[in-house]
């Protein structure tokens, strides 16, 4: 019998479309992504875990207090993208600085 190989999801698959500026919804609320952290050491410290590959800092847009907090849950079929992340191009960065 051959051993079964299971492919783990990539970091990109786990994060899904959660980039700064994106808003997504699920049964827990509607969240705006403020920051994406892809440094594993920083993500683990932020999430208070022994290890993590990434973390996102979000705020719940349905709560009046809207206090930002970190999450490390993977993107699933129960998550719904409300607004895609803002695309930042070098030209738009320079235009805003002028």
């Amino acid at each position: 019998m051959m051993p079964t190989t299971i492919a783990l999801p990539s970091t990109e698959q786990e994060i899904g479309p959660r980039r700064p500026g994106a808003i997504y919804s699920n049964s827990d609320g509607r969240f705006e992504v403020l920051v994406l952290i892809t440094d594993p050491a920083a993500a683990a410290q932020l999430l208070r875990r022994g290890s993590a590959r990434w973390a996102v800092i979000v705020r719940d847009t349905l709560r009046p207090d809207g206090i930002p907090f970190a999450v490390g849950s993977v993107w699933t079929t129960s998550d719904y993208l409300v607004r895609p992340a803002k695309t930042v191009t070098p030209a738009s960065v320079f235009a805003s600085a002028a």
Side-chain angles (χ1 to χ4, degrees):
M1 185 173 215
M2 290 186 83
T4 304
T5 304
I6 299 172
L8 297 174
S10 70
T11 299
E12 291 294 315
Q13 290 171 319
E14 289 180 352
I15 296 168
R18 291 178 287 189
R19 302 292 182 276
I23 295 178
Y24 69 99
S25 182
N26 59 31
S27 61
D28 296 327
R30 185 176 64 205
F31 306 97
E32 179 181 16
V33 178
L34 304 175
V35 180
L36 169 62
I37 295 100
T38 56
D39 174 57
Q45 184 177 14
L46 191 62
L47 295 170
R48 298 182 182 111
R49 295 185 188 166
S51 67
R53 296 196 290 182
W54 57 271
V56 289
I57 298 175
V58 299
R59 71 176 182 87
D60 190 340
T61 61
L62 297 177
R63 296 182 59 96
D65 57 0
I67 299 169
F69 61 96
V71 295
S73 54
V74 300
W75 185 263
T76 69
T77 56
S78 65
D79 296 311
Y80 174 78
L81 187 63
V82 175
R83 180 183 77 193
K86 299 171 184 165
T87 304
V88 177
T89 60
S92 65
V93 170
F94 291 123
S96 65

